[in-house]
Amino acid sequence: VQLQASGGGLVQAGDSLTLSCVVSGRTFSSLVMAWFRQAPGKEREFVAAITWSGGSTGYVDSVKGRFTISRDNAKNTVYLQMNSLKPEDTAVYVCAGRFGIIMRGPRGYDYWGQGTQVTVSS
């Protein structure tokens, strides 16, 4: 299983971005998919996750109401729609996958992508 994230960039505060993560392999539709982020000098932080069916999602409090995670199993792709971006959202965003239930700790994930940089200027 390989994960390829894209969609990052440099934006201004208040702008929107949509990240995508394409997953190779036949297991995508069985995976819980998540987005994590890591800012310089900080630990990797859970951002959002979605179950294999898309029926359940979870978010860190700081992005609730601004970010939306979704998936298209036919395209083996998970998305992170980010609205009303803030400078504190600046980080490398990484997608990850696991079998089972949503977990917020990075150690619970078996598959990781390479990350995409999101920079929000004030």
Side-chain angles (χ1 to χ4, degrees):
V1 178
Q2 293 184 329
L3 288 69
Q4 181 74 39
S6 62
L10 172 62
V11 297
Q12 294 185 334
D15 285 351
S16 298
L17 272 178
T18 300
L19 306 183
S20 300
C21 176
V22 179
V23 180
S24 65
R26 302 179 180 178
T27 59
F28 176 77
S29 61
S30 301
L31 294 173
V32 165
M33 295 299 301
W35 287 95
F36 289 80
R37 64 187 180 186
Q38 189 164 18
K42 295 187 177 181
E43 293 186 352
R44 185 164 290 185
E45 175 189 36
F46 171 84
V47 177
I50 187 168
T51 54
W52 67 271
S53 67
S56 182
T57 57
Y59 298 90
V60 67
D61 286 346
S62 60
V63 308
K64 284 181 180 177
R66 299 189 298 123
F67 290 12
T68 302
I69 189 170
S70 62
R71 66 191 295 159
D72 185 338
N73 287 346
K75 295 182 178 180
N76 278 22
T77 303
V78 61
Y79 305 96
L80 186 67
Q81 172 69 44
M82 305 184 294
N83 298 327
S84 302
L85 282 161
K86 304 176 181 180
E88 50 264 42
D89 294 320
T90 295
V92 174
Y93 284 71
V94 184
C95 56
R98 71 180 306 274
F99 293 103
I101 62 173
I102 288 176
M103 294 185 67
R104 294 175 179 249
R107 292 184 179 181
Y109 287 79
D110 300 309
Y111 308 107
W112 292 88
Q114 87 294 352
T116 185
Q117 176 71 46
V118 173
T119 303
V120 185
S121 63
S122 57

